[in-house]
Amino acid sequence: MSTETLDLPKLYNKAGDFMPINGTDYVELYVSNAKQAAHFYKSAMGFSSHSYKGLETGSRDIESYVVSQDKIRIVLTSPLKSGTDIGRHIDKHGDGVKVVALWVDDATYAYNAAIERGGKHYMSPTVEEDADGKVVRSGIYTYGEVVHIFVERKDYKGHFLPGFQKWDHHYKPEGTGLKFVDHMVGNVHLGNMNKSVEFYENVMGFAQILSFDDNDISTEYTALMSKVMSNGNGRIKFPINEPAAGLKKSQVDEYLEFYEGEGVQHVALATDNIVDTVTKLRDRGIEFLNIPTTYYEALESRVGKIDEDIASLQKLGILVDRDEEGYLLQIFTKTVQARPTMFFEIIQRKGATSFGKGNFKALFEAIEREQELRGTL
Ligand code: FE2
């Protein structure tokens, strides 16, 4: 199919959402040891074995383990030999997110429309087939070396993607209540936030829904700026951070230095019961940022009445913020790989659609305490 067969202007005008996205299809990380990483996601995070490709399935160069929990699919990929693009990516960045895959109805249309609007090519529309049907994938670059792959799977009945087999394993740990990807945050170099905003507006048809400047997000030492981009149906939200001038090195600077470039800073995973989820994650060894007890003294006067017991929140270090529509509960893990780069957020929304602006100071001071220990502040 070519773009000429479609009435693009009509589609562009459809609520500004010319490229309808059904949701996050998967998130793929390039990691140095996919097999061991998959075990971490299962044992510590509560994911299940989902799919696999590697030598046993005829994949001679790369091995991928897919783990899932409710709607979340994480693909962990390692090279099986030296001299590969994946190996070079890992050498430069350490373990990190390469692909944020978006589920679309028509991956050929999405690619053609994005390229026509100035998107940078990563993968031409490619049909992959097996006995369960076919999947079309295509892709473009976003910030740094991160790519968006468009996945069209309406003609596919298989478990994940052609080339993968179902991964059956005797180890089936209990889930931790993680449901779906709420948002994914990118860190970009100073001066690139607005370029990224323009990319999401012009190429992807997203709209900016929020903006934070260094007055909102600053502590005694560090500052950053952030703009939140969303697609039309609100299922995909990408805040973009850039460092702002502060007295010391900001968390974004630290990320950019250790990731050696722009990339995904955190993946926020939603739960319906954050107290239960965080209790389970902690019991399995996940480390969270420590929040000072003073935060909880002022909590009720700041956010008003909430359903949760504040003592339980304090025990776990869970933060609360309120906006016009409701409130949210959130917590950040410490970074989850050798380099101080990516981490996870666990979030429960009770009406609130924002990102916890009232918690930025407490969170960033907690990150600074970690930076202090690393000697990177
Ligand atoms: Fe977040």
Side-chain angles (χ1 to χ4, degrees):
M1 187 196 301
S2 75
T3 49
E4 288 89 69
T5 63
L6 293 163
D7 185 0
L8 286 177
K10 191 174 154 210
L11 286 158
Y12 293 168
N13 289 333
K14 200 176 133 198
D17 203 13
F18 75 93
M19 189 194 291
I21 298 169
N22 303 318
T24 307
D25 196 282
Y26 64 88
V27 179
E28 182 170 19
L29 288 88
Y30 285 172
V31 298
S32 55
N33 191 332
K35 188 172 192 168
Q36 289 188 4
H39 187 66
F40 167 84
Y41 281 91
K42 288 176 61 179
S43 60
M45 302 275 290
F47 282 77
S48 303
S49 301
H50 188 279
S51 329
Y52 168 79
K53 81 171 176 186
L55 292 171
E56 296 82 352
T57 68
S59 171
R60 308 305 298 174
D61 299 336
I62 66 170
E63 179 173 73
S64 293
Y65 289 84
V66 187
V67 294
S68 70
Q69 190 163 182
D70 204 324
K71 292 191 171 65
I72 311 161
R73 276 197 292 241
I74 293 179
V75 183
L76 301 151
T77 296
S78 296
L80 292 169
K81 60 179 191 180
S82 65
T84 65
D85 275 354
I86 297 170
R88 184 207 50 77
H89 193 280
I90 295 166
D91 182 47
K92 182 168 176 63
H93 301 297
D95 291 2
V97 172
K98 173 63 181 179
V99 179
V100 177
L102 304 170
W103 173 29
V104 299
D105 293 334
D106 187 336
T108 306
Y109 163 73
Y111 175 86
N112 288 337
I115 294 295
E116 184 180 283
R117 294 165 71 111
K120 187 177 163 206
H121 161 86
Y122 172 69
M123 177 186 187
S124 297
T126 305
V127 181
E128 295 154 300
E129 275 179 278
D130 66 13
D132 291 315
K134 67 167 190 175
V135 169
V136 187
R137 293 193 302 156
S138 60
I140 58 168
Y141 278 93
T142 173
Y143 45 77
E145 292 200 77
V146 182
V147 299
H148 288 312
I149 286 188
F150 303 116
V151 184
E152 172 190 331
R153 49 172 70 258
K154 62 178 183 295
D155 299 320
Y156 194 63
K157 292 191 289 292
H159 203 54
F160 179 51
L161 291 173
F164 283 79
Q165 68 179 33
K166 193 169 190 301
W167 178 24
D168 277 319
H169 197 282
H170 68 270
Y171 179 51
K172 297 178 170 62
E174 190 200 342
T176 53
L178 299 170
K179 300 255 172 203
F180 58 89
V181 175
D182 184 275
H183 61 274
M184 295 186 69
V185 178
N187 278 342
V188 301
H189 289 295
L190 182 61
N192 279 357
M193 178 179 66
N194 286 331
K195 283 184 202 158
S196 208
V197 166
E198 282 166 26
F199 162 82
Y200 281 107
E201 282 174 350
N202 298 338
V203 176
M204 303 280 288
F206 282 35
Q208 184 185 318
I209 55 170
L210 282 169
S211 158
F212 307 103
D213 63 19
D214 44 349
N215 294 320
D216 299 314
I217 316 181
S218 69
T219 65
E220 190 181 350
Y221 296 122
T222 67
L224 64 88
M225 294 182 286
S226 190
K227 289 185 175 175
V228 182
M229 307 307 295
S230 172
N231 78 323
N233 62 20
R235 286 181 205 166
I236 308 292
K237 291 185 283 291
F238 294 139
I240 310 290
N241 297 332
E242 74 174 17
L247 288 177
K248 295 195 178 181
K249 188 187 287 179
S250 79
Q251 48 165 311
V252 181
D253 289 314
E254 186 197 36
Y255 177 100
L256 295 168
E257 179 185 331
F258 279 90
Y259 200 69
E260 296 189 21
E262 302 179 343
V264 172
Q265 179 212 39
H266 73 264
V267 180
L269 303 175
T271 170
D272 287 343
N273 186 342
I274 196 166
V275 170
D276 184 58
T277 293
V278 172
T279 300
K280 286 177 173 151
L281 292 170
R282 271 185 61 94
D283 288 350
R284 296 183 190 196
I286 293 293
E287 297 177 301
F288 292 95
L289 293 181
N290 295 311
I291 301 301
T293 53
T294 49
Y295 174 89
Y296 296 92
E297 290 163 11
L299 185 61
E300 198 161 348
S301 60
R302 188 166 64 78
V303 301
K305 208 92 203 102
I306 56 171
D307 303 335
E308 293 73 16
D309 167 36
I310 289 182
S312 308
L313 300 181
Q314 178 171 345
K315 191 168 141 245
L316 297 166
I318 295 166
L319 306 179
V320 191
D321 196 30
R322 190 177 278 283
D323 63 20
E324 301 74 40
E325 291 158 281
Y327 70 97
L328 62 82
L329 304 109
Q330 64 185 162
I331 188 167
F332 286 3
T333 70
K334 293 185 182 180
T335 53
V336 292
Q337 58 288 304
R339 302 190 197 187
T341 51
M342 196 190 84
F343 58 89
F344 287 98
E345 172 179 348
I346 311 301
I347 185 166
Q348 181 179 4
R349 294 185 180 278
K350 296 190 118 174
T353 53
S354 54
F355 293 84
K357 179 174 155 180
N359 291 327
F360 287 168
K361 195 167 157 46
L363 279 169
F364 298 154
E365 285 171 351
I367 292 172
E368 283 168 16
R369 285 191 289 277
E370 299 295 314
Q371 285 185 267
E372 189 87 64
L373 294 173
R374 294 193 282 262
T376 60
L377 186 60

